[in-house]
Structures are given as C-alpha cells and as structure tokens.
Amino acid sequence: MQKKNDNQYLKKISQGTFLSIIIMFLLFFLNRNDLYNKFLIYETLPYVKLQKEMLFKFHQEPEKSKTVVQATEEVQDDIIGIHNVIFQDDTKEEEPVQEHKQEKINFKNIEKLSDFSYLIKNFYTVDSKTSVNQELINVDRFLNTDLKIDNSVSGPKVLIFHTHAHETYYDSNDESEGVLGVGARLKEELETVYGIEVYHYTNGLRDIGGSMNTAYEDIEPPVREILEKFPTIQVVIDLHRDGFDIKQGEPLKKFVSEIDGKQTAQIMFFNGLSILNKNGKPTQLTSLPNPNLDTNLAFSFNMQLAANELYPEFTRKIYLKSYRYSLHMKPKSLLIEVGANTNTKEEAFNTAKPLAKILASVIN
C-alpha cells in the first residue's frame, strides 16, 4: 500500500515537472524578442558602462531603494537592433549648483550675444561628448524663427508627456507628486490663465514596457499616435527632473530660487544635437536624424531669453548634449528639467506658474 502511494506521489511530481517545462517554454517563446533585445544590449555592446540612478528618497529608507541601469558610454551611431535601439544617455556632467553670479542676457541687452564665446559661456552648458559652432548656434536665425502657434483652431495645442514618468522629488509619496504632478499643474495653468488647450499624456517608462536604456525609443510610438490623433498640437514638451546622488550626512544639493515669495525649483532647457564629438571633430549621428533641430534650438533659446526677462533667477543654462532624445517629432519641441530629486514637491509644483507665463509669452 505504501509503495502504491509512493508511485502515485512520484507520478504527480513528474506531471508537475512536465507542466513546468511546458510553461517555461511558452514564456520563452512569448518573450523571445525581449530576450533577444537583452542579448543585443548586454552581449554585443560589452563596453557600454552602466550606472545606477536613484528614483526616490534613498537616504531615509535605503532598504527600499530602487535602482535602474542606464547607458553612459558613447556608442557607435550605426548600431541597429530591436527598434533600431540607440543608447540616448541623458545624464549630465557635474556642474555647480550655485553658479557664479553672471549677467542675465535678455531682449534688452541681447547684442552681447553677437560674441560667440560670450554666448556659449553665459547661455549654454556644452557636454564634452558633443560639439557646437556658430553655424549651429546662430542668434540672428533663432530670433527670426516664428514660434507662434495658431490658437484659433479647436483642439489641444500643447502636448505634455514624460519619458520618465517615475521621476519624483525628495518628499514625494507617489508618482502623482513627481513630474506627473508638475505636468498636471502646468496644463491647468496654461488652460485656465492663457486659454491654451493641453493634452497631458501620463503614461511613460513604467507602463509602456521599456527599460531605462531604450526609454526614448519606447516613448515615440504612443507620442506619434497622439500627434496623429490631434493634428492641432503644435508644441511638444517632455518634462523631466534632474538627479543627484544623496549621501547621508551631507547637505542636499538642489536647484531653487524665490519667485513671487515662493521657493521654486529652477528649470533647465535641454537640447540634443545628434552630434558626437569624435577626436575634436563634430560628427553627425546619421542613425538619429533630427530635421527639426534648428527650430528646437531656436525654441529653447527664446524660452531662455523670455525667462531671463521675466524671472532672472529661474533658469539654469541650456544644456547641449549629443543625442536627439524625443525632440525630432515636432519643430517646437522642448525637453525641460524641473528641479532635481533633491527638491521638494512644493518647489517643483511652484514652477508651473512662471513656466506657463514664459511659454505663453513665446508662443503667443
């Protein structure tokens, strides 16, 4: 009797093992593209350096910290793989939080920007992996670029989305108190104060099935779908926040200014140039073309000028980096960093009013 029970028990184990093998095979088959993508990334690009980025307030609860990996090394521009994946690293080189006091250039003293060296030093931060010249950064051309929108047609005129929808602030309790919350307040301000209808796309990295390495590739299809559905959209804003390492016992580094009596996170306009600096020579990234680069640059330039006029301490210098990010889908596209993970949610939320005023002054 015992032997019969043992045989039945072994038979059940064998059936369970067989069923587990079938399930594992099905999972492998259904996810083969994802597995191939991982193989492409980690086996064919052995020299890509990966770094961890903090998402939440790790200094308080290190045991609950979450980390993600992100490519930070220059990659050849002819890599083709799943989705034609290119590592569009958006990390930034270290810069001082409290920059030395410098004259803010606005429409009143703009003639100073005719000196290219002065322009680059006072208006831009140029990442070492890219390269710029006077042909690319042309003040006269930027000033003569028409950035007005047609607000007479019915439908949304501005799209706000978040490639990294998970990005939150120092005291955020959930994602709604991160960049998603900033986007919601910016939408409300533009619509109620300036009469500019906004479409706010709140899905991002966490729910489109991507990874930090391919986020800008993964966000493009849903954004293009929105642009096709709403042809009235003329301005596209990818809203982010910056990030710092938080070290226990050290003071927090943060970007903050006072606007209308409120502590407000500073913002930074970020441009991808699709240009790599290879041995001191600017080289176009042919696999990441951006036919809208010139208008992108004119847009951030005029936004910076308007900000300097209205709120002189509100913006950091425009950051120029090598890739294109999500700036190629519309001419009037902006990538904006609102504060950093070290700012409070209130400081970040307070950016909505001045940012909306600056944007309205440029596109109206």
Side-chain angles (χ1 to χ4, degrees), residues 133-155:
N133 55 34
Q134 285 181 278
E135 182 180 353
L136 184 69
I137 308 297
N138 188 303
V139 173
D140 291 336
R141 191 169 68 245
F142 292 169
L143 289 173
N144 287 297
T145 300
D146 184 8
L147 298 170
K148 294 185 179 68
I149 63 167
D150 181 2
N151 204 22
S152 63
V153 295
S154 178

Side-chain angles (χ1 to χ4, degrees), residues 207-222:
D207 47 11
I208 60 174
S211 71
M212 287 297 288
N213 292 326
T214 62
Y216 291 98
E217 291 285 327
D218 292 331
I219 198 68
E220 184 170 340

Side-chain angles (χ1 to χ4, degrees), residues 16-28:
T17 302
F18 179 74
L19 182 61
S20 297
I21 292 171
I22 294 296
I23 292 172
M24 289 176 65
F25 176 79
L26 288 172
L27 288 173
F28 177 86

Side-chain angles (χ1 to χ4, degrees), residues 303-348:
M303 288 288 288
Q304 186 83 351
L305 274 181
N308 288 350
E309 180 83 23
L310 296 168
Y311 308 103
E313 302 304 319
F314 184 41
T315 58
R316 299 154 63 190
K317 290 189 288 187
I318 300 170
Y319 201 100
L320 303 180
K321 200 166 163 94
S322 44
Y323 302 107
R324 76 179 180 194
Y325 306 101
S326 296
L327 296 164
H328 60 295
M329 291 181 274
K330 278 285 186 180
K332 291 189 278 289
S333 292
L334 292 169
L335 195 161
I336 307 175
E337 304 262 11
V338 178
N341 58 327
T342 49
N343 284 96
T344 66
K345 60 189 177 187
E346 183 179 2
E347 290 166 350

Side-chain angles (χ1 to χ4, degrees), residues 52-300:
K52 295 178 180 179
E53 176 189 300
M54 294 176 308
L55 305 183
F56 302 106
K57 42 185 179 180
F58 303 120
H59 64 292
Q60 292 182 343
E61 300 175 288
E63 71 280 4
K64 295 182 181 179
S65 66
K66 301 178 182 180
T67 58
V68 293
V69 293
Q70 181 171 345
T72 58
E73 185 69 8
E74 177 182 315
V75 179
Q76 294 297 318
D77 68 332
D78 56 354
I79 292 171
I80 300 296
I82 300 297
H83 313 305
N84 292 336
V85 170
I86 297 295
F87 289 84
Q88 297 198 77
D89 164 35
D90 59 0
T91 58
K92 289 162 287 297
E93 295 174 353
E94 191 71 22
E95 59 175 311
V97 175
Q98 299 296 334
E99 296 180 357
H100 63 279
K101 289 291 182 180
Q102 56 192 15
E103 183 179 15
K104 290 285 184 176
I105 302 299
N106 54 44
F107 295 103
K108 295 175 183 175
N109 57 357
I110 198 170
E111 68 281 351
K112 292 190 175 184
L113 297 185
S114 60
D115 182 337
F116 183 71
S117 297
Y118 183 91
L119 166 67
I120 295 302
K121 181 180 178 182
N122 290 275
F123 227 69
Y124 293 99
T125 299
V126 183
D127 190 90
S128 62
K129 291 182 181 179
T130 194
S131 181
V132 297
N133 55 34
Q134 285 181 278
E135 182 180 353
L136 184 69
I137 308 297
N138 188 303
V139 173
D140 291 336
R141 191 169 68 245
F142 292 169
L143 289 173
N144 287 297
T145 300
D146 184 8
L147 298 170
K148 294 185 179 68
I149 63 167
D150 181 2
N151 204 22
S152 63
V153 295
S154 178
K157 316 303 182 303
V158 175
L159 167 64
I160 299 172
F161 73 98
H162 312 272
T163 296
H164 299 148
H166 65 273
E167 291 178 331
T168 54
Y169 294 98
Y170 183 76
D171 57 350
S172 297
N173 295 303
D174 53 51
E175 289 180 347
S176 69
E177 296 181 348
V179 293
L180 291 175
V182 177
R185 285 158 178 79
L186 180 58
K187 167 183 166 70
E188 181 181 8
E189 191 73 13
L190 286 170
E191 291 185 335
T192 59
V193 178
Y194 301 99
I196 300 172
E197 190 175 343
V198 176
Y199 187 100
H200 185 201
Y201 179 65
T202 57
N203 293 341
L205 174 68
R206 69 196 185 291
D207 47 11
I208 60 174
S211 71
M212 287 297 288
N213 292 326
T214 62
Y216 291 98
E217 291 285 327
D218 292 331
I219 198 68
E220 184 170 340
V223 169
R224 284 200 179 278
E225 198 173 301
I226 294 168
L227 295 176
E228 289 175 9
K229 185 177 180 180
F230 300 102
T232 54
I233 292 175
Q234 301 156 62
V235 173
V236 175
I237 300 174
D238 187 4
L239 208 59
H240 293 249
R241 62 105 172 107
D242 210 339
F244 287 121
D245 287 335
I246 299 176
K247 298 179 180 178
Q248 193 167 8
E250 293 187 8
L252 291 176
K253 298 187 294 183
K254 65 163 70 175
F255 297 104
V256 67
S257 59
E258 185 173 311
I259 296 178
D260 297 330
K262 296 180 179 179
Q263 291 295 293
T264 305
Q266 291 178 318
I267 65 170
M268 180 176 71
F269 303 115
F270 186 107
N271 280 109
L273 304 181
S274 292
I275 297 173
L276 279 176
N277 184 355
K278 293 186 176 180
N279 300 319
K281 181 181 178 181
T283 305
Q284 289 288 335
L285 282 168
T286 55
S287 55
L288 290 173
N290 182 2
N292 298 313
L293 176 59
D294 196 55
T295 308
N296 292 167
L297 289 168
F299 199 9
S300 62

